Structure formats: structure tokens, C-alpha cells
Amino acid sequence: MKALSIRQPWAWLIVYGWKDVENRSWNTKHRGRFLVHAAQGMTRAEYIETLDFVESIGSPDLLRAFPKFDQLERGGIIGSVELVDSAEASDSPWYMGEKAFVLRDPQPLPFQRLKGRLGFFDVEVPQ
């Protein structure tokens, strides 16, 4: 199965159904479900910047659900999501730039430690 590394807390926002696009500088032909890999790196400044953005969206439910810095798992698979399109524009409040992967049907999974890589990468999934 394919996986994509995404920095926290953006990965959490995707897996728990808040963020419906993943911003990228490149398009992809990939369609279908992929594993969400939470990258190892996340600075406190990145966390605070994301929290500030979340506050600007104005969702009290999301603010209540938003995990604390130390609660975010990093360096492994945290869920899966379906990629349905690669767009160059979006009305999503999460869209921030050049291109985005349009996502649906997020599913959290038990944390599985795994080293990430750039771009989509293959992961062996036990049957």
C-alpha cells in the first residue's frame, strides 16, 4: 500500500476528518486509499502556528478536540485516507497554495512506528 509522510499536527487533522485537502507543490496521478504517516519532526513553533490557523477557522468543536503537543504521535502510521483528486484550486479553508490532494473517508489506525520517506512510498501491510 502507498503511504505519504505528513507533518503533525496536519496529519492528525486529516486522519480525524477535519482537513479535507493536503497541500503540495506537485500533482499526483495516484487515486485511492493511502496510509497517513506522521513525520517524526514537529517543532513547538509549527504546532503553535497550526493552532493559530485552526483558531482562525473558528470551529469550537475542533479547538476542543485539538490534541496537546505531547499527545501527537510521530514517526509512524496513524491512519489512512482516500485520495480522490489532485486539484489546482479549492474552496476548502485548508487550501493554502499551489496544488492540493482532495481527501475523503479518513480512518484512524493504531500507531505503527515506521520511518518515513519523501513522496508516496510503498509499505508492506500484513494480511
Side-chain angles (χ1 to χ4, degrees), residues 23 53 80:
N23 297 286
F53 182 78
S80 71

Side-chain angles (χ1 to χ4, degrees), residues 2-18:
K2 295 289 185 192
L4 183 66
S5 285
I6 302 170
R7 291 180 78 83
Q8 288 284 36
W10 304 110
W12 180 90
L13 288 160
I14 289 170
V15 167
Y16 286 92
W18 297 101

